[in-house]
DNA sequence: ATGATGTAAACAACCAGTTAGTTATATCCT
DNA sequence: AGGATATAACTAACTGGTTGTTTACATCAT
């Protein structure tokens, strides 16, 4: 019963649930402690603040995502499908990212920007090699992929509420997204 | 100085700013009263409480949007461009919608669902008339349009942070979005 | 003078963060 | 081995400030 690492993990789990549901401002430290089955003070011992607890949770899951989802510039539709699958199976983390981008004070997490730069460069090279069309810029393509892949997440402002039936048939939606990205990545003329 | 309608309006203005910046949980009623230049109690006299004040602000601007942006099922790229322009010039309201979809207790505003149903039906008819391709369902097309059109908003989790240069050249981004929607709406085969 | 409009103060609940103290467990000494 | 001791893990209770909401009172227009 007296295991610091285990309690830290329980706190992080409860914090994910709490922050995902209520955001930073809406989250309650007492509730996190209760759901983690530990004393409130331990949260302040192991993690500095409410805010650093949040960023700790976010960073932890973000790095896990970067490891799980490999970027394939030569197969952008497949990448979009992978991101879609991940977003649909990990709605908590998508919510976490949404909260962060709204409540943020504009200090970006370094991991994200470096990961983004890598992808941009990879798309540029794929374009040079003729694997991806040059109708759109790498930045546009990447943003379009992420926007489409996460659009059907329960949290999205224009998501399931605009396409309620899609939630029941995720496979069809995934294929449609891949298809759409395929069209954009080729970028044929009209 | 003694004009109820005027003070109501000042409260709604200050509330928009406050809720857009901090969300429902993060917003402070004292700050709204201060920025509206009125007594805190008036907020409770004219609007029930914090939450109904929020929904009042949201509803007000949503109906305005529905009036301003006309839906053109025969020209989906043009509609996407219009939505993009609106999103870029009204970031507060986009943020308001984002907050709402995150903090929501899943009770949808009726105006939104009816407006959505109308658009879906319009796209269906456009497909029957051969004005829009049938590769994708109307719900998918509508969601894709909204997702792409709002993806470069400052608040989007994968927005400007994934495509920083796009913010400086909104016209190019708008045209790229229209082009992308054009490709999807045609839905040519590979 | 009466209802609409506005003000100041208070209130009760809440909440992030702290303090002081307790228990378990590992380490050291003999 | 076994008792003293130090330390890591944990707890209960408190603090000081904040916050949504209410109450009691003042002032203006008609």
């Amino acid at each position: 019963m007296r295991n610091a690492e285990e309690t830290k993990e329980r706190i992080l789990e409860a914090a994910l649930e709490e922050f995902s549901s209520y955001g930073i401002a809406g989250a309650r430290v007492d509730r996190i402690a209760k759901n983690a089955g530990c004393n409130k003070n331990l949260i302040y011992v192991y993690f500095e603040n409410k805010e650093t607890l949040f960023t700790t949770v976010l960073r932890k899951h973000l790095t896990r995502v970067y490891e799980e989802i490999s970027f394939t510039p030569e197969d952008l539709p497949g990448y979009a499908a992978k991101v879609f699958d991940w977003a649909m199976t990990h709605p908590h983390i998508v919510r976490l990212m949404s909260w962060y981008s709204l409540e943020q004070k504009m200090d970006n997490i370094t991991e994200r920007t470096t990961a983004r730069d890598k992808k941009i460069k990879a798309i540029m090279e794929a374009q040079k090699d003729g694997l991806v069309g040059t109708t759109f810029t790498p930045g546009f393509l990447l943003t379009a992929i992420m926007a489409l892949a996460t659009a059907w997440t329960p949290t999205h402002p224009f998501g399931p509420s605009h396409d309620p039936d899609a939630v029941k048939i995720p496979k069809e939606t995934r294929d449609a997204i891949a298809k759409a990205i395929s069209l954009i990545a080729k970028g044929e003329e009209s």
Side-chain angles (χ1 to χ4, degrees), chain A:
Chain A
M1 255 294 176
R2 245 150 200 249
N3 189 328
E5 288 307 314
E6 243 175 45
T7 25
K8 271 188 202 176
E9 203 52 45
R10 287 207 314 279
I11 291 172
L12 287 173
E13 255 177 64
L16 170 62
E17 172 69 23
E18 179 77 8
F19 283 127
S20 164
S21 301
Y22 306 103
I24 303 178
R28 297 293 164 243
V29 179
D30 296 83
R31 211 157 31 191
I32 294 174
K34 190 182 169 188
N35 289 336
C38 79
N39 191 273
K40 184 167 51 153
N41 186 36
L42 289 183
I43 290 175
Y44 292 93
V45 172
Y46 296 139
F47 311 91
E48 195 83 8
N49 278 335
K50 194 183 174 184
E51 204 176 308
T52 54
L53 174 59
F54 177 89
T55 54
T56 305
V57 176
L58 180 60
R59 218 182 293 264
K60 172 190 167 189
H61 287 95
L62 274 191
T63 54
R64 216 174 51 111
V65 170
Y66 291 143
E67 289 166 5
E68 283 177 10
I69 308 182
S70 57
F71 185 60
T72 50
E74 73 284 354
D75 178 25
L76 293 179
Y79 177 69
K82 272 189 287 181
V83 175
F84 172 80
D85 286 339
W86 173 83
M88 295 301 278
T89 50
H90 300 77
H92 311 89
I93 307 173
V94 178
R95 283 181 67 91
L96 220 61
M97 297 174 68
S98 301
W99 284 117
Y100 183 69
S101 67
L102 275 174
E103 298 188 309
Q104 195 181 10
K105 291 125 203 91
M106 281 302 155
D107 60 315
N108 264 331
I109 288 181
T110 32
E111 281 106 314
R112 278 190 76 181
T113 59
T114 57
R116 180 243 301 165
D117 290 344
K118 247 192 237 173
K119 283 169 194 151
I120 298 270
K121 273 184 189 166
I123 294 180
M124 274 179 65
E125 302 230 348
Q127 284 181 327
K128 273 182 194 165
D129 298 348
L131 298 169
V132 172
T134 55
T135 308
F136 302 101
T137 67
F140 180 91
L141 287 170
L142 188 57
T143 307
I145 289 168
M146 298 309 289
L148 272 185
T150 57
W152 279 263
T153 290
T155 156
H156 193 94
F158 305 101
S161 58
H162 275 66
D163 197 5
D165 302 331
V167 185
K168 303 171 201 154
I169 45 165
K171 280 176 194 167
E172 276 81 351
T173 307
R174 196 226 347 248
D175 292 346
I177 289 172
K179 179 94 191 161
I181 295 298
S182 166
L183 287 171
I184 296 176
K186 275 174 197 151
E188 295 163 17
E189 287 296 316
S190 54

